[in-house]
Amino acid sequence: MIAYIRRLAVEQKKWLDDASFRDGVALCQMVPGATAIQASSYVGLKLRGVSGAALSFAGFGLPSFLIMVVLSALYVQTRDLPVVISAFNGLQAIVVSIVANAAITFGRASIKNWKGAVITAASGILFGFGINPLLVILFAAIAGILLYLKQPTPSVISSGIRYTTWRPVLVIIAVFTGGLIILFFTDRSLFNLAALMVRIDLFAFGGGFASVPLMFHEVVNVNHWMGSKTFLDGIALGQITPGPIVITATFIGYLLYGFMGATIATLSVFLPSFLIVVGVAPYFDKLRAFAYFNKAVNGVLSSFVGLLLSVTVLFAFNIPWDIWRVLLAIAAFVALFFKVEIYWVVIAGMLISIPLFLNVTTTIK
């Protein structure tokens, strides 16, 4: 998606030059949240300030939200039908391959030496033993500072954003906080959903896939809002939509509290990181020059490799493997390894799964 945004903003529309766009992507990769929607917001910020960022943010996210709401509604109405059960029996195996591929992709980008490998292994082991992933991330940040203490800080190129954005950011924060306060006193369940999604977004460094271990831990293991297999179905549906994998939050919110839950979960999982990008952009040069921040981010990004590997194992243990599921998972992994688009892998897997598992009569829970 970032490559497509670059092609549109830099090559076709010529809104930004290539150096400016790369600088925006660097910002989006260093702060938490889904990188693609943040990159689109950054383009809007450079063109029209905060209002442009808000319009880009809404324009990028709204189609994915609406598609996921429709898919979630269809899932609720049809998930007990044999044909749907058949489709998701295969898709759950494919999701394991998707997350495994994401872990490998993270690893290639984040693990540059033995220090990153140590943080990755330690993080995976800690998460595997049930340690809260937020604590694992904090541990990784501290380990990154200590292990990379003598590593030089890279040179900084100016971002080109000179104006401040704190006033509109504070207004949006005030409105959003007011909404949370209203929810706290009127509907504690919706407030808990919103607070959880905010927390996930604020700790999901490294892009949308970084939210998967956090979301799985909180939604399945801690709050028991749904079973692991239903969560896997949400991940699969999230890969059918054109948006980031974080759109799974819409699925979770819809299954819990209908359209209102979907709306609140979606805003809560995207808005905090949007505000960070808009608020931090004018000061990004100073942030990148801060040595301890860069070292902490290195540690956190390495930790997500371990978290994703652990989640891959957890997902795998929740699937009744047979020869067909194994073959589907292998085929999906190979396709992803050779850069086949995820949505094509998911759609093909769904079409193959229906005739393969049509005789399955167990209900997905």
Side-chain angles (χ1 to χ4, degrees), residues 65 69 72-73 76 190 193 249-266:
F65 167 74
V69 167
S72 300
V76 170
L190 285 175
L193 174 65
T250 306
F251 173 84
I252 294 168
Y254 188 92
L255 260 65
L256 293 175
Y257 306 112
F259 183 78
M260 180 61 72
T263 303
I264 290 173
T266 306

Side-chain angles (χ1 to χ4, degrees), residues 122-134:
S123 300
I125 292 170
L126 289 173
F127 186 60
F129 278 103
I131 303 298
N132 190 302
L134 301 184

Side-chain angles (χ1 to χ4, degrees), residues 17-349:
D17 57 43
D18 197 47
S20 180
F21 183 79
R22 287 200 308 267
D23 191 77
V25 173
L27 165 62
C28 298
Q29 289 175 332
M30 292 185 72
V31 300
T35 308
I37 193 170
Q38 292 173 335
S40 68
S41 301
Y42 182 86
V43 171
L45 180 68
K46 291 282 286 186
L47 288 174
R48 296 290 186 272
V50 177
S51 60
L55 288 172
S56 298
F57 172 79
F60 189 96
L62 187 59
S64 299
F65 167 74
L66 294 175
I67 293 171
M68 183 55 105
V69 167
V70 172
L71 290 175
S72 300
L74 290 173
Y75 177 85
V76 170
Q77 296 297 321
T78 64
R79 59 178 167 178
D80 292 332
L81 297 178
V83 66
V84 176
I85 294 174
S86 302
F88 281 102
N89 271 331
L91 288 178
Q92 288 170 358
I94 291 173
V95 167
V96 175
S97 297
I98 291 173
V99 180
N101 181 72
I104 292 173
T105 303
F106 258 96
R108 288 176 174 172
S110 304
I111 303 175
K112 305 295 185 181
N113 48 45
W114 67 268
K115 299 171 184 178
V118 168
I119 295 174
T120 294
S123 300
I125 292 170
L126 289 173
F127 186 60
F129 278 103
I131 303 298
N132 190 302
L134 301 184
L135 295 178
V136 175
I137 293 169
L138 292 175
F139 152 78
I142 296 170
I145 293 173
L146 295 176
L147 290 175
Y148 294 104
L149 194 60
K150 296 182 179 180
Q151 179 175 301
T153 302
S155 58
V156 174
I157 302 173
S158 175
S159 65
I161 296 179
R162 300 300 179 191
Y163 52 85
T164 59
T165 57
W166 62 269
R167 288 182 179 176
V169 167
L170 287 178
V171 170
I172 297 172
I173 290 175
V175 173
F176 184 65
T177 303
L180 290 178
I181 292 172
I182 292 172
L183 284 179
F184 181 83
F185 288 105
T186 59
D187 194 322
R188 192 64 61 87
S189 296
L190 285 175
F191 170 82
N192 290 337
L193 174 65
L196 172 61
M197 293 303 172
V198 168
R199 189 161 66 248
I200 288 170
D201 191 36
L202 291 176
F203 279 86
F205 286 85
F209 265 100
S211 68
V212 173
L214 307 177
M215 204 175 287
F216 178 81
H217 175 79
E218 296 289 344
V219 172
V220 178
N221 292 339
V222 176
N223 292 288
H224 307 291
W225 286 340
M226 61 181 57
S228 57
K229 291 184 178 180
T230 303
F231 184 85
L232 281 168
D233 294 344
I235 296 291
L237 289 177
Q239 294 305 289
I240 296 175
T241 70
I245 194 171
V246 187
I247 203 69
T248 302
T250 306
F251 173 84
I252 294 168
Y254 188 92
L255 260 65
L256 293 175
Y257 306 112
F259 183 78
M260 180 61 72
T263 303
I264 290 173
T266 306
L267 279 175
S268 301
V269 87
F270 284 116
L271 190 59
S273 56
F274 165 79
L275 294 172
I276 291 174
V277 168
V278 173
V280 168
Y283 314 101
F284 185 43
D285 298 343
K286 295 180 180 179
L287 184 64
R288 286 190 296 180
F290 184 48
Y292 291 119
F293 175 80
N294 287 276
K295 293 170 174 55
V297 169
N298 285 339
V300 169
L301 292 178
S302 296
S303 75
F304 275 110
V305 182
L307 293 179
L308 282 170
L309 288 172
S310 294
V311 167
T312 302
V313 174
L314 288 173
F315 283 177
F317 275 117
N318 281 280
I319 293 174
W321 293 100
D322 56 24
I323 185 62
W324 297 117
R325 289 180 176 87
V326 170
L327 291 175
L328 271 175
I330 293 174
F333 185 84
V334 171
L336 293 169
F337 183 81
F338 285 102
K339 309 300 182 183
V340 177
E341 296 288 352
I342 288 182
Y343 54 83
W344 288 121
V345 174
V346 172
I347 292 172

